[in-house]
Amino acid sequence: WEHPLLTREGIGVCGWILVSLSFLLVLITFPISIWACIKVVREYERAVVFRLGRILSKKAKGPGMIIVLPCTDTFIKVDLRTVTCKIPPQEILTRDAVTAQVDGVVHYRIHSAVSAVANVTDVHSATLLLAQTALRNVLGTQSLAQLLAGREEIAHRIQATLGSATEQWGVKVARVEIKDIRIPVAMQRTMAAEAEAAQEKKAKVVAAEGEKNASKALQKASMVLAESPAGLPLRYLQTLTAVAAQNNSTIVFPLPMNMFGSLGQKRTGG
């Protein structure tokens, strides 16, 4: 026959005797001993209680007031608030053989205090190291163009990789962000020259299209002026108005071309 408490906790007969003696000690020294037994756990904390080296009830205690027995019970408090962890700059080699330095930020929180205590030595240090490894592994499969253009997608991939690995530690990865990407100065100059050449190419194409459209418009305008001889002097007058509006000291007085022709005929006739 075994006591149900012994079967559930698995501390054995000797362990049960020690727990009974500890409980008896508390009763003998009551109420002084109660101050050593009562512990307060804050709202954002959970306490993992160990009784003779075994986790009590296989779940965390709190928040609020908990009671631990002297000599046989120990406890560890675990903070459940979100932790912001900065990933140090990692020097990586992209898929197209470009060296870059990338750093980021990881936001995570502990959702299982028992797993965070029992399954890993230092959950925060382990999460940081794993985030660095995940960052290097994911970015090593991307080209430089993909790295610069697809930060959000890469961050989601790192978050998925990191979340699946830290689940057994009781850690929930809330968000991963790529903070900064630094590339060599020579590569920056090359990319700037490439971008400048592309913009110059577009500018030349736009200028050529403008010249083409302008030539077509001038052709149509010449045909209109040819049909109406009086249109050319009117155009001269519009040009004179535009020049005068600019406060220019040069005065242009347009004369119709046929006037010079008629003057030449009169001189020849005279």
Side-chain angles (χ1 to χ4, degrees):
W1 177 83
E2 290 183 340
H3 193 278
L5 188 60
L6 298 180
T7 304
R8 181 169 60 88
E9 296 185 354
I11 59 177
V13 177
C14 294
W16 177 249
I17 294 174
L18 291 176
V19 171
S20 301
L21 292 176
S22 179
F23 185 74
L24 182 61
L25 179 63
V26 172
L27 293 178
I28 294 174
T29 58
F30 187 83
I32 299 176
S33 60
I34 196 64
W35 300 107
C37 297
I38 293 178
K39 306 296 180 182
V40 177
V41 180
R42 295 182 179 90
E43 181 67 30
Y44 55 84
E45 293 178 334
R46 295 296 183 271
V48 181
V49 181
F50 292 87
R51 177 162 293 172
L52 297 178
R54 292 180 177 271
I55 297 177
L56 186 63
S57 302
K58 302 301 180 182
K59 63 180 181 180
K61 305 293 184 180
M65 183 180 65
I66 64 173
I67 297 178
V68 296
L69 296 177
C71 303
T72 60
D73 292 357
T74 57
F75 70 97
I76 298 176
K77 288 184 179 180
V78 179
D79 196 328
L80 302 185
R81 291 177 294 183
T82 300
V83 179
T84 300
C85 178
K86 181 179 179 181
I87 303 177
Q90 302 294 309
E91 187 170 353
I92 63 171
L93 186 65
T94 61
R95 190 176 61 184
D96 48 355
V98 176
T99 303
Q101 283 191 347
V102 183
D103 58 355
V105 179
V106 179
H107 305 273
Y108 67 92
R109 63 180 180 85
I110 297 174
H111 67 87
S112 176
V114 174
S115 299
V117 172
N119 294 345
V120 62
T121 305
D122 187 347
V123 64
H124 299 291
S125 177
T127 302
L128 175 59
L129 293 176
L130 188 59
Q132 296 179 18
T133 305
L135 179 67
R136 295 173 65 91
N137 292 340
V138 173
L139 295 183
T141 62
Q142 305 293 317
S143 64
L144 181 60
Q146 293 173 338
L147 180 60
L148 295 175
R151 290 192 180 189
E152 196 69 24
E153 181 181 356
I154 294 175
H156 287 311
R157 291 184 57 184
I158 297 175
Q159 179 179 349
T161 303
L162 190 60
S164 61
T166 57
E167 182 65 26
Q168 60 180 345
W169 300 341
V171 174
K172 175 66 176 179
V173 179
R175 185 175 179 85
V176 177
E177 297 178 356
I178 303 297
K179 185 178 178 182
D180 190 16
I181 301 175
R182 291 184 290 273
I183 58 178
V185 178
M187 181 59 64
Q188 294 180 14
R189 293 175 180 174
T190 302
M191 295 176 63
E194 182 181 357
E196 184 178 355
Q199 293 297 328
E200 185 177 356
K201 176 183 176 181
K202 292 180 180 179
K204 289 182 178 179
V205 171
V206 172
E209 290 290 336
E211 291 291 338
K212 179 180 177 181
N213 296 333
S215 62
K216 290 182 179 180
L218 289 175
Q219 181 183 6
K220 293 180 180 180
S222 64
M223 294 175 63
V224 173
L225 291 175
E227 295 176 357
S228 178
L232 187 60
L234 293 176
R235 183 58 182 163
Y236 285 159
L237 292 175
Q238 291 179 355
T239 304
L240 179 61
T241 303
V243 172
Q246 298 177 0
N247 298 323
N248 201 322
S249 60
T250 302
I251 298 176
V252 180
F253 186 81
L255 292 174
M257 300 299 296
N258 54 5
M259 182 182 295
F260 292 101
S262 60
L263 290 175
Q265 290 177 1
K266 290 180 179 180
R267 289 180 179 182
T268 302

